[in-house]
Amino acid sequence: MMNAELSHSPLAAAHRIEELGRIIIAYSEVTEKLEQSHGRLKSQVQQLSEELSEKSRLLERKNRLAALGEMAAGMAHEIRNPLGGIQLYASLLAKDVADRSQPLQLVEKISAGVKRIEAIVSQMLQFSREIKISACETNLSHIVEQAVDLVQPHAQLKQINVEVDGPRSMTVKADPIFIGQALLNLLLNAVEAMDQCGNVEVRYFAPPAESDAKQFHLVVRDHGAGISPQILDRIFNPFFTTKDLGTGLGLAIVHRVVEAHDGTIIAANVDGGGAKFEIRI
């Protein structure tokens, strides 16, 4: 009788309420932790899904470029063989009409056309070859300096200033010739994209913590008209060009050089006008 009374006493009821409160609090904490874990897992799944989609896109592009490269190699060899004969006959014809200005001008136009085709074929062969880099420790600042020196005559004709921002010395492991060639192509494109006067900017720096790069970022920015959103995903495709005299292989070769270094290249428009190309290696 005594125990029954105690079990129904206000003190016992208070203990039960307190215990129930602790259970509810513990349940709420567990529920909150589960919700937080679910949120983190959902975010990670989304991130992995985006990465997988990007990797799939890059693999598809790589396979497409490989197929186009094989086709380009076959075409280049077939075109190059008769080009030598055409150039030979044009040079012989030029000697025969050397004393007649009008026929000589026509022959010179033929020779100029052949040389242009030869240059395109050479680029096709360069694109189709497997790029085998010889990575070594090299100073990235020297590579940038040499590329800027080579582009200066083209920039000066349009009164364009090339600005460089980066450490005076930055040791990286890369192929200096191929990286220099890729940078020179980007600089020439940047100069061509601009009207008279203005700046082209080159920046290079160590990758930030969130970057997938291991060695450096290299950015070339112009202040031209930018890249049309409709073609932004196609500019690295071989033979795609918006230039009247372009071959459409310059950026495709840059893409292959960066890819051979296990890097990525990103093209984007910049707020305020112009476009930028960012190499991440």
Side-chain angles (χ1 to χ4, degrees):
M1 187 72 176
M2 184 78 170
N3 290 335
E5 290 177 355
L6 286 173
S7 64
H8 290 88
S9 68
L11 182 60
H15 281 309
R16 285 196 296 272
I17 292 173
E18 184 180 350
E19 185 178 352
L20 181 60
R22 285 196 296 267
I23 293 172
I24 293 173
I25 291 172
Y27 177 80
S28 298
E29 290 177 350
V30 170
T31 303
E32 185 178 355
K33 289 180 180 178
L34 286 173
E35 289 177 350
Q36 291 175 353
S37 298
H38 180 266
R40 287 195 296 268
L41 286 172
K42 186 177 180 181
S43 176
Q44 290 174 354
V45 168
Q46 183 178 357
Q47 182 180 351
L48 289 172
S49 177
E50 291 173 354
E51 290 178 0
L52 179 60
S53 176
E54 178 66 13
K55 295 295 183 183
S56 298
R57 188 181 66 82
L58 292 175
L59 179 60
E60 182 182 352
R61 169 177 280 180
K62 184 177 181 180
N63 291 336
R64 186 170 66 249
L65 291 181
L68 286 170
E70 292 179 6
M71 181 188 70
M75 289 177 58
H77 286 296
E78 291 298 323
I79 294 171
R80 175 169 272 182
N81 290 334
L83 277 182
I86 295 173
Q87 186 63 52
L88 174 62
Y89 293 135
S91 62
L92 293 174
L93 186 58
K95 292 179 181 178
D96 290 342
V97 298
D99 57 340
R100 288 175 283 171
S101 62
Q102 189 171 3
L104 182 60
Q105 288 178 2
L106 293 175
V107 174
E108 288 174 347
K109 288 181 179 179
I110 294 173
S111 294
V114 170
K115 289 178 181 177
R116 171 157 172 74
I117 296 173
E118 176 67 27
I120 294 173
V121 170
S122 296
Q123 278 198 316
M124 289 173 64
L125 286 172
Q126 184 181 9
F127 170 76
S128 64
R129 293 191 190 103
E130 181 183 359
I131 294 180
K132 295 182 179 179
I133 63 171
S134 298
C136 60
E137 287 194 351
T138 184
N139 193 339
L140 184 59
S141 62
H142 289 170
I143 297 175
V144 173
E145 182 181 355
Q146 291 170 1
V148 170
D149 286 343
L150 288 173
V151 83
Q152 284 293 3
H154 303 275
Q156 289 172 356
L157 286 175
K158 300 178 71 173
Q159 297 180 326
I160 292 173
N161 182 45
V162 182
E163 297 181 348
V164 179
D165 180 18
R168 295 178 64 86
S169 179
M170 185 175 181
T171 301
V172 299
K173 191 170 185 180
D175 189 310
I177 294 178
F178 277 120
I179 293 295
Q181 178 188 7
L183 177 57
L184 180 58
N185 272 336
L186 294 180
L187 287 171
L188 288 171
N189 279 355
V191 170
E192 290 177 9
M194 293 179 57
D195 296 325
Q196 295 288 332
C197 302
N199 295 327
V200 168
E201 300 157 14
V202 184
R203 293 193 304 120
Y204 57 98
F205 49 90
E210 68 276 8
S211 172
D212 55 354
K214 297 178 180 178
Q215 297 195 72
F216 63 87
H217 284 207
L218 177 59
V219 181
V220 175
R221 183 201 168 167
D222 64 63
H223 291 265
I227 306 169
S228 171
Q230 287 77 16
I231 67 171
L232 196 56
D233 290 336
R234 301 164 58 197
I235 57 175
F236 293 114
N237 291 347
F239 310 114
F240 176 80
T241 181
T242 57
K243 303 174 185 176
D244 294 335
L245 298 177
T247 63
L249 289 172
L251 287 177
I253 292 172
V254 171
H255 186 276
R256 292 200 64 204
V257 168
V258 175
E259 188 180 68
H261 283 81
D262 293 325
T264 57
I265 180 168
I266 300 170
N269 289 311
V270 183
D271 293 339
K276 74 172 182 178
F277 290 81
E278 183 168 359
I279 293 175
R280 299 178 180 180
I281 291 177

